[in-house]
Amino acid sequence: MEILASKTNIKEIFASNWARFVEKFGPLIRPTVFLNVRKVLLCKEGLGGRLFICPKCLFSHFVPFTCKSRFCSSCGKIQTDVWMQKTEKSFPNVPYQHVTFTIPEQLRTMLQCNRAVTLDSLFKAANSAILKACTPLGYKPLVMAVVHTFGRNLGFNPHIHVLVSCGGLTPQQTWKKNNYLPHETLKRLWRYNIITALRAGIKDQTIKNNLPDKVGELLNELYTKYKNWYVHIGKRLNNSRQVVRYIGRYTKRPAMASSRILSFKDDVVTFWYEDHKSGKRIETQLDVLDFIGKLVTHIHDKHFRQIRYAGLLAPRIKAAALAL
């Protein structure tokens, strides 16, 4: 099937090739993937709608129902805007630091095969590292974390974006300002937390070990290699509005916007992405079934919470902490 480059969108690609993908990979597809793809394929045209008619001039206007799926490029954008508007009103208005935690490439397959357990572990490891690093500094910060599973080339690259306040509450219930986070301490704590969680999960069999003969050796090796554990302390965000809009880029949206697709011809999808290191635009091609497979990999399981809070924003103490 051939679709003109200027009019290509993800929904059309799925509509024409989803049945083939299911026929080939059906037993491996997670239930949440079936649910979200079905929503996207039915969005607007297949979900009915509501007809409005003016009683005076009889002018009519039909408004179709939308799917509300985060995987939908249209609905995902709308949900993100709604979330930002709602969160911006209640988010504490102080400066924040953006910290990104990533894992070594050698562990990605294990995390992908055990996503329900390991993505939770990423949150716990990152939040714990932040809180422990701030304890010697004499305060508890506000912490919001977001998981991101895709890189710009659609590969499975799970990492955590954390927004941490530049300061926090001291034991004396006063606000202490701070613009410094100990980078090496964060790397050490992050590495320790992840390796410990994986070892525990493999031992109690909550994590399926896809490297039965070499996993112990691999974890020991990665534990001793600091350079494989990338923790980036990024730019400072000066107020809550900047924070909410910045983190909104990482939530409720699909892995790729249709605008990045250059063409779909002869079962080959051509799209572009910006290389993170060089900043250059790179064009790449994928077989349409590979393209679909990479996209659906990043659909989260039902009820998975992509945004989590810790420190003074932890649900059990948030109300009392924000009042102080």
Side-chain angles (χ1 to χ4, degrees):
M1 177 175 182
E2 179 178 341
I3 298 177
L4 295 177
S6 61
K7 298 182 179 179
T8 303
N9 64 56
I10 292 174
K11 182 176 179 179
E12 290 172 332
I13 292 175
F14 271 77
S16 59
N17 291 276
W18 178 242
R20 283 204 300 138
F21 184 84
V22 172
E23 182 179 359
K24 186 173 181 178
F25 301 106
L28 302 176
I29 302 174
R30 293 173 292 136
T32 189
V33 172
F34 280 110
L35 176 63
N36 280 275
V37 172
R38 182 176 183 273
K39 285 182 176 181
V40 171
L41 293 178
L42 292 175
C43 188
K44 295 182 180 179
E45 293 86 353
L47 294 177
R50 183 165 293 176
L51 181 65
F52 295 90
I53 302 176
C54 175
K56 294 183 179 180
C57 67
L58 300 183
F59 172 80
S60 63
H61 180 66
F62 181 77
V63 179
F65 294 140
T66 57
C67 68
K68 309 295 190 296
S69 171
R70 284 187 296 188
F71 185 59
C72 177
S73 56
S74 174
C75 296
K77 173 66 169 59
I78 294 172
Q79 286 192 54
T80 299
D81 292 342
V82 171
W83 177 85
M84 288 193 296
Q85 292 174 5
K86 179 180 178 181
T87 305
E88 191 177 317
K89 296 177 181 178
S90 60
F91 210 71
N93 191 27
V94 298
Y96 292 81
Q97 194 79 50
H98 177 209
V99 185
T100 307
F101 294 86
T102 63
I103 63 167
E105 185 177 356
Q106 298 93 318
L107 296 177
R108 291 177 187 173
T109 301
M110 182 182 294
L111 266 68
Q112 186 174 358
C113 295
N114 300 273
R115 59 190 300 150
V117 176
T118 55
L119 291 184
D120 281 340
S121 296
L122 294 186
F123 278 112
K124 294 175 182 177
N127 290 338
S128 174
I130 290 289
L131 295 176
K132 286 185 178 180
C134 290
T135 298
L137 301 176
Y139 65 86
K140 179 178 287 189
L142 302 139
V143 181
M144 178 171 67
V146 179
V147 69
H148 211 205
T149 61
F150 49 89
R152 300 184 182 188
N153 63 351
L154 296 184
F156 188 77
N157 178 20
H159 52 284
I160 297 284
H161 294 271
V162 179
L163 274 297
V164 54
S165 57
C166 296
L169 280 181
T170 67
Q172 293 75 36
Q173 307 300 311
T174 59
W175 184 264
K176 180 180 179 179
K177 295 182 179 180
N178 177 55
N179 294 317
Y180 167 76
L181 287 174
H183 182 251
E184 290 300 320
T185 299
L186 286 175
K187 286 181 67 175
R188 186 176 69 253
L189 290 169
W190 169 246
R191 184 182 79 254
Y192 173 80
N193 291 343
I194 292 295
I195 295 294
T196 300
L198 292 179
R199 283 174 174 165
I202 292 170
K203 183 177 181 180
D204 63 22
Q205 297 184 343
T206 56
I207 292 179
K208 182 180 178 182
N209 181 10
N210 59 322
L211 296 169
D213 299 326
K214 299 181 179 180
V215 67
E217 179 182 337
L218 174 63
L219 294 180
N220 290 336
E221 180 184 359
L222 290 176
Y223 188 75
T224 61
K225 291 187 176 181
Y226 282 72
K227 66 179 181 179
N228 289 323
W229 298 87
Y230 183 71
V231 176
H232 176 67
I233 299 179
K235 64 180 181 181
R236 169 176 156 142
L237 303 171
N238 292 319
N239 54 58
S240 60
R241 186 174 186 274
Q242 281 187 310
V243 169
V244 172
R245 294 192 174 277
Y246 190 83
I247 211 68
R249 294 165 49 194
Y250 300 104
T251 61
K252 303 182 184 300
R253 67 180 179 90
M256 172 180 284
S258 293
S259 58
R260 285 174 52 195
I261 299 176
L262 299 175
S263 67
F264 173 35
K265 182 179 180 181
D266 298 329
D267 287 339
V268 173
V269 180
T270 303
F271 65 95
W272 68 269
Y273 67 92
E274 184 179 305
D275 182 76
H276 184 70
K277 294 182 179 179
S278 67
K280 295 181 179 179
R281 171 169 161 153
I282 296 177
E283 296 184 8
T284 188
Q285 294 182 328
L286 287 175
D287 174 82
V288 66
L289 297 189
D290 290 339
F291 177 78
I292 290 174
K294 284 182 176 291
L295 281 180
V296 300
T297 296
H298 306 296
I299 296 177
H300 290 300
D301 291 335
K302 193 174 183 179
H303 305 308
F304 179 81
R305 292 182 295 117
Q306 193 178 356
I307 306 174
R308 312 217 183 157
Y309 302 92
L312 299 179
L313 291 179
R316 61 186 177 83
I317 66 168
K318 178 179 178 180
L322 294 190
L324 289 171

